Amino acid sequence: MLMDIFQLVEENSSKENKASSPIKASVRSDDENESILILCGSKNSDKSTLVSKFLEREEQQYQICAMEYTFARWNAGNVRAVLCEEKKIGHIYQIEDGLDFINLFKSIRLDNMMNNAAVIVMVNLAEPSEIWTTLEQFLSMTRDYLLKLLMKQNDNVQEMLIRKAAKPYESHPDKRIVKPYPIPLCIIGGNYSDFQNIEPEKKKIICRSLRLIAHLNGATLQFLSFKMDSLIVRGRAVFSHFLFKTSLSKSISTDFNKPVYVNPGADSISIIDSNIVRSESTTYETVMKTYGAEFMSIFNKKENTNKIDEQLFAANEQFKEEAIDSLKFERDQELERYVKRLEKSKL
């Protein structure tokens, strides 16, 4: 098992040559003007809408196919999705949940950009049966990969990232249990408007569980609805923070009857659930396993083949090719006739 952030902090602190030297990241100058934001999570969680709202594009909501790329630039406080002389560019990757997720995630070149990279994971609050599995699979697939990349960074960049992730928990009572994600992470609960119609007790469990998983992984947690102007503004602010490092609100909202918003280090296990007893045997793994089992017992997981809908590509206008579509139609017709002849021959 790879070391977690706090083990890396202790290891680096033990090196005498770093004990008293200031952190000065030695990275390419281009990196300071570029950033990467990876947006992933469950289907129907409004990922594409969030990007459109941030870029101020008037686009209908659509489901992405595997992975899509766009970019934004920072221009004196304004964001525009067009090229210009400004050098501050934000690269935005949207990855759809599916069998190829981790390969698509790894295809994004983070090697020289890790100090300016962040991840947003979106879950659909209106589909609670998908929430825990989506987050658990995402964390298990990406954490070790990012830690390996982290260990390949030069010493200064490595130490800067490690200490940045660990900082919110330096004097936190849960420091021994939490495992901060290697790069800035935000968990967004989409479709908050529909979530409001869920029965109160289940809403409480969902909020408590999301707060716990965000807290244990050093993530920002926010609920989002594109039917509520205040949440759209907050969503754009969070997106801007993780893409361009703009300031982020320090306010906290943990009431399950209101949109939840919590920053890393602002929550605690004892506040989230007083039934969780902190002891020497309490670890990140035990809390995640226990809470995950409880969550899944309440919200039965639907069977999920985790496959990308093949019809999605055919129906999407972005992939429309008349010659190819016509040929495919002919082949489908031939196949259908062949199957019918085969069935008749067996009679």
Side-chain angles (χ1 to χ4, degrees), residues 237-300:
V238 168
F239 201 102
S240 177
H241 169 76
F242 282 92
L243 187 60
F244 291 122
K245 299 181 180 179
T246 54
S247 60
L248 193 62
S249 172
K250 295 182 180 180
S251 63
I252 299 173
S253 176
T254 58
D255 186 342
F256 72 92
N257 286 313
K258 298 178 181 179
V260 172
Y261 180 82
V262 188
N263 284 318
D267 223 332
S268 72
I269 292 175
S270 59
I271 295 175
I272 295 170
D273 190 344
S274 58
N275 293 320
I276 300 177
V277 180
R278 285 199 302 261
S279 65
E280 290 300 319
S281 61
T282 305
T283 64
Y284 171 92
E285 288 77 15
T286 59
V287 176
M288 285 286 290
K289 183 178 180 179
T290 303
Y291 233 80
E294 179 185 340
F295 187 92
M296 296 305 294
S297 68
I298 298 170
F299 303 100
N300 293 325

Side-chain angles (χ1 to χ4, degrees), residues 2-5 102 105 138-149 178-182 185 213 216-218 284:
L2 288 170
M3 292 183 290
D4 63 29
I5 291 296
I102 189 58
F105 189 93
F138 163 78
L139 291 166
S140 65
M141 286 191 289
T142 61
R143 185 192 297 277
D144 284 358
Y145 167 69
L146 290 175
L147 281 172
K148 287 177 181 177
L149 279 186
V178 299
K179 281 192 175 182
Y181 198 67
L185 173 66
I213 201 168
L216 290 175
N217 291 280
Y284 171 92

Side-chain angles (χ1 to χ4, degrees), residues 321-331:
E321 292 284 350
E322 290 187 9
I324 295 175
D325 292 343
S326 177
L327 182 61
K328 182 180 183 301
F329 178 76
E330 291 178 10
R331 293 291 184 266

